[in-house]
Amino acid sequence: KKKTVSFSTMPNDRKINSTAACISFMLEGCELKKVRSNSRMYSRFFVLDADMRSVRWEPSKKDSEKAKIEIKSVKEVRVGKKTPVLRSNGLSDQFPDECAFSIIYGDNYESLDLVANSADVVSAWVMGLRYLVSYGKHTPEAPGTGHPSLRTSWISSVFDLADLEKSGRIPVSRAVQLIKALNPGMKTSTIELKFKELQKASERLGAEVACDLFVEVYCELCTRPEIFFLLVQFSSNKEYLGLKDLLMFLEVEQGMEGVTEEKCLEIVGKYEPSKEGREKGYLAIDGFTRYLLSADCSIFDPQHRKVCQDMAQPLSHYYISSAHSACLLEDNFWGRSDISGYISALGLGCRSIELVLWDGPEGEPVVYTSPSAASCVPFRAVVGLIDQHAFTASAYPLILCLVVRCSAPQQRLAAQCLRKTLGEKLYLEPPNPTASYLPSPEQLKGRILIKGKKLPPSCEDSEGEVSDEEEGWELARRLGQEEREVPEGGGPRRVRLSRELSELVSLCQAVPFQDFESSRRGQRYWEMCSFSEVEAGHFANECPAELVSYNKRFLSRVYPSPMRIDASNMNPQDFWKCGCQMVAMNYQTPGLMMDLNVGWFRQNGACGYVLRPAIMREEVSYFSANAKDSLPGVPAQLLHLKVISGQNLPKPKGSGAKGEVVEPYVCAEIHGIPADCAEHRTKTALQSGDNPIFDESLEFQINLPELAVLRFVVLDDDYIGDEFIAQYTIPFECLQPGYRHVPLQSLAGEPLPHATLFVHVAITDRRGGGGKGHRRGLAGRRGRRVREYTSTKATGIKAIDEVFRTATQPLREATDLRENVQNALVSFKELCGLTPAANMKQCILTVATWLLHSDSAPSVTLNLAEQYPPMEAQGPIPDLLRKVLTAYETMIQTSRTLIESADAVYGKLTQAQQAGMDLHKELHRIEAKEGLRGHKLQKALESFAWNITVLKGQADLLKHAKAEALDNLWQIHNAGQSCGIGRNGSASPESSHPRTPLEPIPE
């Protein structure tokens, strides 16, 4: 991988941790590049006047009175490429988004577009300017009564409590412990060094420190500039968040719904350390940092911490967390059998455990998979353990996969042991022959299912022969215990099976796999096949559609190749994408594959069952696991990920060469269907200590969100080889939008105390970064392409094609309705200086801010008496504002057309889909009548499934688009009332519309 580094013009020892520091930096001035409308850039020296009333630059052809901007004329300060000049083609690739900012000023809303050498410099200017713009509207006593004294008085009170002797001084060692207690992840050596440094600078060396030095050390060490910058962005005027500011931050940036001032007061009460702040409802920098680091602000959506999926679908519709050699603590070949491995796997929510039964030396079956006979575990002990721990982490069914390698007498003992120990938990009811699918996890709660071979109904003896399974014999070859005879003429080998063990098998009867056609015609729903990793990999690559279709009705289990003698793991995504429910993992082997498995099964309360994507469950649906682009009817999404900083990163294990220095970078990886797999990395943070700043934006397109997993990996950049520091893996569907901390974990998946990444997450069209939307119509993509329409495919059967042809026009109308709104939304957001991920409330509040920041503000109001509120201007308005009003009008009109037309178009799409499904029942008769065979038949079936999927998907998308449009209207009314530009403020006709997810079309 190409290695890159970042150079910062901000001196290393200079930390911008207060607005005073920002303003001080601006008063000294620095070089910035001024961008002109012709895309040319000129270096100029920018400085804040001593009276703090204007910003000047030189050299300039203008006279000194014109080469300046008065602070009072500034309407807005934008970070990133948020103006037409900075977005223009000639410039977009010359500098990163983080290094650009714009000052919108004057009655004509002109923009001064600037580029800095680093994001730090941008932060200092933006933070300082925003503070001065806000401060200009408030009384000059603000700094004296504001946050600095609030914070200082709190830190001083902490000092006073520690000053037991009341001498005004405390020992340095106590001061160090005090700061460490307030910031648990901070190294003692870092704090001690800072005390020495400041004591030396103020010539006050000694074993004790006074209060003022303690406050200074605390503020320097414990102020995170990136969080302080965020606080200033949302703060009305002073260096803390009031209740209204906090409410705005939670709604607009964090995507929270239904937030009240009472909720905000609760947050302040919980996280603000100062008594005065809690009483007045102020959240200052320390409380804000604590809140952002807390579980209440986790990147993992709390809804997914408990079972949140429909558990009433057939068992074959779920991925099931499965273990291969769970009893092993090391590797397959040299590992030692140990009971604690089972406890660990069951504790992680594992719902399928493999038990290989061997003849024990004392006439009792044993479980062991290592070459040492001394390391075997009695089967009885394992069953007792399973009985004890089966349902501690999950109440849903546990499947015991029995691979029988013991004699018939010992099989009888094993069966008796299972019946006696597990009792009522054992599921022994025979399958219902009239049903078509397996029961659901909900129906099987608290039950243990046995997966294994079953004697044929024709066998009436106490034991009989059954075909053998390949699994488990590789080890026997190494042990020298292989006694199987190969039947003459080849064919499957046979083993003896006792009736007692056979009778324990009900819903998971193991049968050999022949081919997909035989399974389609003859396999019964309670029969299941096991595939070796190689065999399953072949099907996944050569015939993925057939494997997906097979897994709709039948359970399939994939076990690791016997060549993996080191107990390494296969990539479970390779088989999940084809719908394979049980991918058996070596739980004892940490690394990327196990991270994916553990991360994936977190999403449904870690209960060991995850509902598969609808496109894989529906009886008629088109899904190609190896698709290289977006799927029909599934909305692709864009993940905008900003990696801001790291906190308390540990040194890589065993690395002593570089002393204390860690030079980390972050890799963000998407794992999913092949079209989604991608990896981006940040620059390396050089000499950054434990808390590096990355400040880098990454972007991913996700075509099948339901199967995507995001993995963060932190690595130490080293010439010899980049060393692993930490990781965190999270399903895409569990991501929360906004500013979040990522709780980092070790290679073995254990939490690393206080080690985090600070990131910003936005998912285009998802709340707090938009709704469940799709990728088209994003910034810079409008008007540069011919609109793509999803259409149906010909099956070659006239009667069927005529039915689907009726949907051609409604499909075009649905796409036009959605994309017209999408494009109008993006235009409006861009003119407001916002990203496509912004929501409607942010847009209205931004426009309101411009108007409120001007003494001669043009009169623009939102008429909230109307369902589709127009934005009306009284008198002349500047050009930029006129463009904003025009874009708003277009957005309102396209939304209105969508809302009023959606139901009729939706009806036509569902009608065509229903007519297609009615024909599906007759499909085999029609095929025979038309004489379709072989390749032609396959293509006809594929096209039919494609058409049904497209119709259902496009109807769903239209339904969601209407819900989004109604939600946008609700946000307009809400924002108009709260920010003061709304008039006739009656409640919106839609303001109380239900915010629950819409029901998709039934499967």
Side-chain angles (χ1 to χ4, degrees), residues 486-555:
V486 182
E488 286 181 30
R493 309 192 197 209
R494 315 288 290 174
V495 289
R496 303 293 292 174
L497 179 68
S498 77
R499 176 164 298 284
E500 286 92 331
L501 208 53
S502 168
E503 284 173 350
L504 298 183
V505 177
S506 168
L507 293 177
C508 297
Q509 183 182 340
V511 296
F513 178 78
Q514 290 169 305
D515 56 66
F516 291 115
E517 187 53 35
S518 304
S519 296
R520 190 165 76 93
R521 295 189 187 282
Q523 189 172 334
R524 293 167 298 188
Y525 72 83
W526 61 84
E527 295 174 335
M528 65 175 284
C529 299
S530 288
F531 301 93
S532 77
E533 172 188 351
V534 175
E535 189 183 13
H538 170 76
F539 291 142
N541 290 324
E542 299 301 318
C543 39
E546 281 99 319
L547 189 51
V548 170
S549 184
Y550 171 86
N551 285 321
K552 286 178 185 177
R553 276 193 67 205
F554 310 116
L555 284 177

Side-chain angles (χ1 to χ4, degrees), residues 806-807 809-810 813 903-913 951:
T806 61
Q809 193 53 35
E813 285 173 23
D903 289 351
V905 177
Y906 178 85
K908 290 176 190 171
L909 291 173
T910 48
Q911 198 176 342
Q913 187 209 356
L951 290 172

Side-chain angles (χ1 to χ4, degrees), residues 107-215:
D107 291 339
N108 289 324
Y109 293 76
E110 295 169 68
S111 74
L112 173 63
D113 299 303
L114 302 166
V115 177
N117 285 350
S118 77
D120 297 337
V121 175
V122 172
S123 297
W125 276 94
V126 172
M127 204 186 294
L129 283 168
R130 283 179 173 164
Y131 185 75
L132 289 170
V133 168
S134 299
Y135 175 66
K137 302 200 304 292
H138 300 280
T139 51
E141 46 85 51
T145 58
H147 159 77
S149 66
L150 186 84
R151 188 184 198 194
T152 307
S153 61
W154 165 65
I155 302 166
S156 302
S157 70
V158 171
F159 180 90
D160 292 341
L161 285 172
D163 180 10
L164 305 173
E165 296 79 20
K166 301 300 170 208
S167 63
R169 303 175 71 78
I170 63 171
V172 172
S173 58
R174 196 183 300 165
V176 169
Q177 289 309 312
L178 207 51
I179 288 181
K180 193 168 170 61
L182 293 169
N183 277 272
M186 197 171 283
K187 285 182 184 169
T188 305
S189 57
T190 308
I191 307 169
E192 288 171 344
L193 199 66
K194 183 56 75 177
F195 270 113
K196 280 180 189 165
E197 187 189 307
L198 292 185
Q199 279 182 315
K200 191 177 177 184
S202 60
E203 297 179 350
R204 287 191 287 176
L205 293 167
E208 292 189 320
V209 292
C211 185
D212 60 337
L213 190 78
F214 179 79
V215 170

